[in-house]
Amino acid sequence: MTGVSQEHMRAHYQIGSNHMMLGAGILFTEELWEFLSFAERSPAIISNILLFGLTSALGQSFIFMPVVYFGPLTCSIITTTHKFITILASVTRFANPVSSMQWVGTVLVFLGVDLDAKFGKGAKKTSH
């Protein structure tokens, strides 16, 4: 759903990947005070939250970089391929079961991605 607006922003404005991530402010609710109380009782949680926030921000940067440089479709293909590799590793390494209908769905998704890459819109050249 956001691909069209991301493509519009990328095409009409000189924005970077970090600009696309920023925007929404923090809303203060009663939950904030409950969290602060919990953090005071369990201070070890703060380092885990900071590490999670850092790795999440880094991950988001790597997601938005392909959107900015190559467009939302290429980003979608990259993330879909990543998910497929994760599924394949899960099945082969950890012997997680996959039903025949799940395999059919997986094949259809990647067949669609492959066909779109071959016959979809012409490849756009970037100035980067």
Side-chain angles (χ1 to χ4, degrees):
M1 292 178 61
T2 60
V4 173
S5 60
Q6 288 174 340
E7 185 66 34
H8 175 76
M9 289 188 303
R10 190 174 78 86
H12 293 91
Y13 306 102
Q14 295 293 329
I15 60 172
S17 57
N18 290 328
H19 291 102
M20 290 182 124
M21 292 188 336
L22 302 174
I26 298 172
L27 300 174
F28 290 102
T29 65
E30 294 297 319
E31 293 177 7
L32 174 66
W33 308 116
E34 290 177 34
F35 165 73
L36 292 174
S37 174
F38 173 77
E40 187 177 4
R41 292 188 313 271
S42 307
I45 194 72
I46 299 299
S47 63
N48 290 332
I49 290 172
L50 292 174
L51 181 61
F52 178 74
L54 178 67
T55 56
S56 294
L58 185 63
Q60 286 297 312
S61 293
F62 281 108
I63 289 171
F64 280 106
M65 284 170 66
V67 171
V68 169
Y69 292 113
F70 305 109
L73 177 61
T74 302
C75 181
S76 177
I77 292 170
I78 291 169
T79 56
T80 304
T81 304
H82 175 260
K83 289 174 187 174
F84 176 71
I85 292 169
T86 302
I87 291 169
L88 191 60
S90 173
V91 170
T92 57
R93 182 167 182 177
F94 302 112
N96 288 323
V98 178
S99 72
S100 58
M101 286 305 291
Q102 289 171 320
W103 277 118
V104 168
T106 302
V107 168
L108 287 175
V109 166
F110 285 95
L111 181 62
V113 167
D114 187 51
L115 290 173
D116 188 61
K118 289 180 182 171
F119 303 111
K121 289 194 287 184
K124 295 181 182 178
K125 293 185 180 181
T126 61
S127 61
H128 300 288

